[in-house]
Amino acid sequence: MPKYVAAIDQGTTSTRFMIFDHAGNVVAVDQKEHQQIFPKPGWVEHDALEIWTRVQEVMAGALRKAVDSEQLTVDSDIAAIGITNQRETAVVWDKSTGKPVYNAIVWQDTRTDIICNELAKDGGQDRLRAKTGLPLATYFSGPKIKWILDHVDGVRAKAEKGEVLFGTIDSWIIWNLTGAHVTDVTNASRTLLMNLNTLDWDDEILQLLGIPRAMLPEIKSSSEVYGQVGGGLPMQGMPVAGDLGDQQAALFGQTCYSAGEAKNTYGTGCFMLMNTGESPVPSKAGLLTTLGYKIGDQKAVYALEGSIAIAGALVQWLRDNLGIIEKSTDVETLAATVEDSGGIYFVPAFSGLYAPYWKYDARGAILGMTRYVNKGHIARAALEATAYQTCEVLDAMEADSGVKLTALKVDGGMVFNELLMQFQSDILNVPVVRPKVAETTALGAAYAAGLAVGFWKDYDELRANWGKDKEWTPKLDAKLREGLYSGWKKAVTRTFGWVE
């Protein structure tokens, strides 16, 4: 009998392969970064072939570690593989050669602002929201596909003939692993092309954007066998059986299976999702209505999402662009050299502002500067920015859902930053809870794959795996909290309208 389930976690800055046991514990992990490509201001690209190479490397690396530690003896000890991925990043590749026709255009990329503005001239930014749950924004995949079709020679003609394929990163990986051209409902719901109610591509929207249906993957559930790993690859013959966009995977891994349960993931960006049950909840407060997950033949489960573009990426910016820290983990030490942010606010609108504003003409700013301010204050303001943005999203989520959150489950790389987690609890005025397995994105994909092949039998088994590692409770005076948050709101408005 297989003892483990594995997951490929393909993120914005790195790729991981993780192996989990039945209790949800990590048995082995391997991780590698990939290059970030910035051809022009506002443009962000990845080399999809490099990502595929990293996938193969980390699969082999984690397997080797599991064998070396005597946890694993043969590949058949692993029941299935799940996939989770950076979501809106778009890849278009040649069906016969398997080569991308252009670099992957990353979710943070803003080059499609002209396309979005043109579409918004008739019906405004919410023109497609009733069908898709999404505003017109550069964030989503559909406009990125249109940009590639319009700007890369010969691609549109090939697309009409079905000779090129589109996929978000999950589709790209599954196609390379198995030859199947598929995606799941969660990733499809982030394209601006899928109808939330039919769970199929919407022909009217495809016509509006000029995207041939022939290039799109088949939309599947988040938990079923899509195919087997092909010859010459690590884990040949293994079923690939789970597929969830990264934030939905974290929701699933955090066992938020009941309506009203929510989680926040702190990664490159920051993403809060709340399970809203089997019906989509339209947002009036600037959130996204999206798919939460769909397990096999069961009904789809929907979610409200608040998306923040820049969270951990701001720490990387302090490291790589300003050089005030040597490694990302140094930010907490530097921020702890001061008692507060010195009256400054850091609004990291590097790719515009996402929820709840959806202002892609906004740009980053540090406000309230005096000569008193030093690099410790800048580091602290950078961490506080993530907490403030999360607070704005939670306000919107409570307004839309009518549910008052009593505690926030958190996951992702930044949740080991104690200073940030305490400030997050302070500014939200609710407890913040970190689980024993903080990397719940990969765990959620593993859970979906394991359910598909019978490794786990139901949600109760998965809930039993969840355990609390640490909890932070609010300690901030109410008047001070209100003053700080009011200052943040004022700072955010100063970043609007920088891009004409």
Side-chain angles (χ1 to χ4, degrees):
M1 286 287 291
K3 297 185 287 186
Y4 309 116
V5 173
I8 297 165
D9 180 359
Q10 204 300 299
T12 307
T13 58
S14 67
T15 305
R16 283 183 299 188
F17 190 70
M18 302 185 77
I19 301 172
F20 298 93
D21 66 16
H22 198 272
N25 300 310
V26 179
V27 172
V29 59
D30 197 37
Q31 179 171 354
K32 288 198 172 184
E33 291 192 357
H34 58 266
Q35 185 184 5
Q36 306 296 307
I37 303 165
F38 306 105
K40 296 181 182 180
W43 291 31
V44 190
E45 297 176 0
H46 291 158
D47 179 345
L49 286 174
E50 181 191 10
I51 286 175
W52 170 233
T53 299
R54 295 290 172 266
V55 168
Q56 296 171 80
E57 289 171 348
V58 296
M59 286 175 73
L63 283 170
R64 194 162 49 246
K65 289 176 183 178
V67 169
D68 290 347
S69 65
E70 299 182 351
Q71 299 272 359
L72 191 74
T73 53
V74 289
D75 283 359
S76 57
D77 280 343
I78 297 175
I81 303 170
I83 311 281
T84 182
N85 57 290
Q86 50 168 320
R87 293 174 298 178
E88 298 78 5
T89 298
V91 188
V92 176
W93 68 94
D94 188 291
K95 188 175 181 179
S96 59
T97 67
K99 299 285 176 64
V101 302
Y102 189 81
N103 277 340
I105 301 180
V106 178
W107 58 273
Q108 299 159 316
D109 189 286
T110 59
R111 77 185 70 187
T112 56
D113 55 351
I114 296 169
I115 294 171
C116 293
N117 287 335
E118 281 297 315
L119 291 168
K121 283 180 180 177
D122 182 4
Q125 193 176 20
D126 287 339
R127 178 179 182 176
L128 304 180
R129 193 185 273 271
K131 284 186 172 184
T132 66
L134 311 174
L136 287 167
T138 60
Y139 183 20
F140 306 111
S141 315
K144 301 181 200 302
I145 304 169
K146 177 173 170 55
W147 189 93
I148 291 172
L149 293 174
D150 290 347
H151 290 86
V152 183
D153 287 346
V155 172
R156 182 172 290 281
K158 285 188 169 185
E160 298 285 357
K161 297 175 190 171
E163 294 174 0
V164 296
L165 304 177
F166 155 75
T168 39
I169 295 291
D170 62 311
S171 296
W172 169 244
I173 293 170
I174 293 171
W175 188 83
N176 277 290
L177 284 171
T178 71
H181 187 217
V182 298
T183 189
D184 91 302
V185 291
T186 67
N187 281 291
S189 74
R190 314 299 293 202
T191 59
L192 263 178
L193 306 177
M194 191 193 84
N195 187 302
L196 279 179
N197 294 300
T198 65
L199 305 184
D200 194 10
W201 306 119
D202 188 282
D203 288 322
E204 287 184 3
I205 299 175
L206 295 182
Q207 189 173 2
L208 177 68
L209 285 170
I211 295 172
R213 185 184 263 263
M215 70 186 297
L216 302 178
E218 183 182 356
I219 301 174
K220 300 275 198 176
S221 81
S222 311
S223 177
E224 62 180 275
V225 177
Y226 313 112
Q228 281 75 34
V229 176
L233 296 170
M235 303 177 67
Q236 180 179 337
M238 190 71 59
V240 178
D243 181 15
L244 289 152
D246 52 9
Q247 304 315 318
Q248 287 92 339
L251 184 77
F252 202 71
Q254 284 274 37
T255 68
C256 295
Y257 305 142
S258 300
E261 293 184 323
K263 68 87 202 175
N264 198 28
T265 297
Y266 299 76
T268 301
C270 206
F271 304 87
M272 187 184 293
L273 272 75
M274 176 184 281
N275 182 326
T276 60
E278 293 175 356
S279 300
V281 174
S283 175
K284 297 181 178 66
L287 300 180
L288 308 178
T289 304
T290 193
L291 265 293
Y293 50 87
K294 185 178 187 304
I295 303 303
D297 294 331
Q298 297 176 29
K299 287 186 177 180
V301 171
Y302 294 83
L304 281 171
E305 175 175 335
S307 309
I308 298 163
I310 302 291
L314 183 53
V315 176
Q316 291 174 324
W317 184 83
L318 295 179
R319 181 193 70 190
D320 300 338
N321 292 49
L322 290 194
I324 65 172
I325 52 175
E326 285 188 18
K327 55 186 186 298
S328 294
T329 50
D330 293 341
V331 70
E332 184 174 10
T333 305
L334 180 57
T337 62
V338 292
E339 291 185 3
D340 53 38
S341 64
I344 66 168
Y345 291 92
F346 196 151
V347 185
F350 294 166
S351 303
L353 287 167
Y354 288 6
Y357 298 101
W358 298 105
K359 299 275 191 184
Y360 47 78
D361 62 354
R363 285 299 176 266
I366 301 175
L367 299 109
M369 297 282 279
T370 63
R371 288 195 64 181
Y372 168 71
V373 169
N374 62 36
K375 61 185 179 181
H377 297 111
I378 292 172
R380 195 170 187 114
L383 292 178
E384 291 181 354
T386 292
Y388 285 127
Q389 290 177 101
T390 297
C391 195
E392 289 191 291
V393 167
L394 181 58
D395 286 349
M397 203 162 275
E398 290 181 342
D400 275 336
S401 68
V403 176
K404 187 77 176 170
L405 206 68
T406 55
L408 182 65
K409 289 181 174 180
V410 297
D411 55 72
M414 295 181 80
V415 299
F416 296 99
N417 188 309
E418 303 265 336
L419 190 152
L420 170 60
M421 290 298 102
Q422 182 58 56
F423 188 74
Q424 185 68 89
S425 177
D426 286 341
I427 209 69
L428 291 177
N429 199 31
V430 298
V432 167
V433 185
R434 182 176 72 199
K436 287 180 180 175
V437 179
E439 296 301 344
T440 52
T441 304
L443 184 60
Y447 280 168
L451 285 172
V453 298
F455 185 78
W456 289 287
K457 66 177 187 290
D458 55 27
Y459 292 159
D460 289 340
E461 265 198 300
L462 304 181
R463 280 194 179 100
N465 283 349
W466 193 92
K468 179 171 72 175
D469 177 47
K470 185 158 184 178
E471 181 172 335
W472 292 265
T473 54
K475 296 178 180 177
L476 201 61
D477 173 76
K479 192 171 183 181
L480 179 56
R481 177 187 304 113
E482 289 167 12
L484 289 170
Y485 192 37
S486 174
W488 166 262
K489 292 275 201 182
K490 184 178 178 181
V492 169
T493 63
R494 300 293 194 268
T495 71
F496 296 169
W498 280 89
V499 181
E500 294 297 330

